[in-house]
Amino acid sequence: AQKVTQAQTEISVVEKEDVTLDCVYETRDTTYYLFWYKQPPSGELVFLIRRNSFDEQNEISGRYSWNFQKSTSSFNFTITASQVVDSAVYFCALISGNMLTFGGGTRLMVKP
Amino acid sequence: DTGVSQNPRHKITKRGQNVTFRCDPISEHNRLYWYRQTLGQGPEFLTYFQNEAQLEKSRLLSDRFSAERPKGSFSTLEIQRTEQGDSAMYLCASSLGSGRTNYGYTFGSGTRLTVV
């Protein structure tokens, strides 16, 4: 069985602040993939990043960065200099085999 | 290709009625998935097809739910005798997969069902 936990249900920050969204996962498999998705109010799931279990290099894409630590089973997501447009629900997900397992999501509110 | 397409975007139905949703995956993707997302929760897996074969079904998929993927292209999800608890966003995703490997896992915009 696999499980993804996003302990922060809601985070509120002021524009330009940095914010980190936590994700902890559980799986018995040695090969798996981790994802982050953004879900704006319109409802679609927007793909942000996919990492495989063998690649622990941290990744940076513009204002977004991801910290994958296998030792603590965590895959945290940081937004630097947050903007109002970053307001959304963010989901961490794990796939091992064919099924994506999602965390409960973190609602991020960025205030002007 | 414009990605994964789902129709309708919204559906309001009376309790007890049957509803059917359609998903058109990315054309070269052989795998198709249905998920359900209720308010404030993450999406939950319902079922998965590889080509036309339905290979996995969640326990969430009661016998009132049926999914098909004739000819391995588009898929339909039917809910019979809808209940208020069926109100949710139904998401479709597709991928190109082989064995335990999946590439390009892409979601559609979803169909929001409201049962009144």
Side-chain angles (χ1 to χ4, degrees), chain B residues 15-76:
Chain B
R15 191 176 51 182
Q17 298 291 307
N18 299 343
V19 293
T20 300
F21 312 139
R22 176 177 170 128
C23 172
D24 287 90
I26 292 174
S27 56
E28 60 265 29
H29 284 182
N30 59 339
R31 291 180 173 174
L32 186 147
Y33 309 80
W34 285 99
Y35 287 80
R36 179 173 70 188
Q37 185 178 20
T38 52
L39 208 59
Q41 303 294 320
E44 296 172 294
F45 170 79
L46 291 179
T47 189
Y48 134 72
F49 291 83
Q50 177 152 313
N51 300 313
E52 67 276 7
Q54 189 173 18
L55 296 187
E56 201 166 336
K57 289 168 62 172
S58 162
R59 285 171 293 177
L60 293 175
L61 215 65
S62 77
D63 54 9
R64 295 186 297 106
F65 288 69
S66 62
E68 295 182 343
R69 192 184 182 199
K71 302 178 184 176
S73 55
F74 70 92
S75 175
T76 57

Side-chain angles (χ1 to χ4, degrees), chain A residues 41-54:
Chain A
S42 52
E44 76 272 23
L45 281 166
V46 178
F47 168 82
L48 296 178
I49 190 171
R50 172 183 184 262
R51 299 306 298 272
N52 75 54
S53 52
F54 298 108

Side-chain angles (χ1 to χ4, degrees), chain A:
Chain A
Q2 49 197 41
K3 186 179 177 183
V4 178
T5 302
Q6 295 179 254
Q8 306 147 308
T9 53
E10 200 167 292
I11 300 176
S12 182
V13 299
V14 176
E15 210 171 16
K16 297 184 184 175
E17 283 185 19
D18 299 347
V19 58
T20 295
L21 282 57
D22 297 333
C23 172
V24 175
Y25 63 91
E26 296 174 30
T27 180
R28 293 177 189 166
D29 290 323
T30 55
T31 302
Y32 51 90
Y33 293 85
L34 295 162
F35 296 76
W36 275 95
Y37 286 90
K38 175 182 180 179
Q39 189 173 46
S42 52
E44 76 272 23
L45 281 166
V46 178
F47 168 82
L48 296 178
I49 190 171
R50 172 183 184 262
R51 299 306 298 272
N52 75 54
S53 52
F54 298 108
D55 182 3
E56 287 193 71
Q57 274 196 330
N58 291 330
E59 183 160 336
I60 298 174
S61 175
R63 295 184 298 109
Y64 295 170
S65 62
W66 291 270
N67 183 353
F68 176 28
Q69 292 199 347
K70 229 170 166 178
S71 60
T72 56
S73 297
S74 65
F75 186 42
N76 297 337
F77 172 32
T78 298
I79 302 175
T80 303
S82 59
Q83 300 176 1
V84 173
V85 294
D86 296 328
S87 297
V89 180
Y90 290 85
F91 290 99
C92 181
L94 165 74
I95 189 168
S96 177
N98 299 309
M99 184 178 79
L100 263 181
T101 299
F102 285 84
T106 297
R107 179 176 299 279
L108 174 65
M109 292 178 291
V110 182
K111 299 177 182 176

